[in-house]
Amino acid sequence: METKTTTIDQYLKTVDADKRRVLEDIRSSIRALVPDAVECINYGVPTFKLNGKNLIHFAAAKNHCSLFPGPGAIAAFSEELTAFA
């Protein structure tokens, strides 16, 4: 039976060292920028929540690392993101 990860530390232990370093840098940046955010695993990936809402997710894939902003971040930067629509 496969064990589900329940913490970001557990998740990071499952990731290759090169990707782990990238994800640890992302984690540190989020902690520094949003110290009130709460860490958890959501949708199977590391997540930071703020005021009970998903702020940002990050994850490792086979050939890359991903960063997934929550809806609040997308709304807050909607003007800057129009070039990517």
Side-chain angles (χ1 to χ4, degrees):
M1 182 191 318
E2 186 177 322
T3 304
K4 285 181 126 180
T5 57
T6 58
T7 68
I8 293 178
D9 287 328
Q10 288 175 343
Y11 179 91
L12 291 173
K13 287 179 184 176
T14 69
V15 176
D16 294 337
D18 60 332
K19 293 182 187 92
R20 186 178 316 118
R21 281 189 294 277
V22 171
L23 297 181
E24 287 171 345
D25 287 346
I26 290 170
R27 182 186 194 187
S28 294
S29 294
I30 296 167
R31 281 180 168 173
L33 292 167
V34 192
D36 293 336
V38 177
E39 292 186 352
C40 66
I41 298 292
N42 201 6
Y43 301 111
V45 299
T47 301
F48 279 84
K49 289 188 170 205
L50 187 61
N51 301 322
K53 296 182 181 180
N54 292 335
L55 177 66
I56 196 159
H57 314 272
F58 57 98
K62 182 178 178 182
N63 296 312
H64 66 277
C65 292
S66 297
L67 187 66
F68 308 99
I74 293 170
F77 293 96
S78 62
E79 190 172 308
E80 290 90 338
L81 295 171
T82 56
F84 303 98

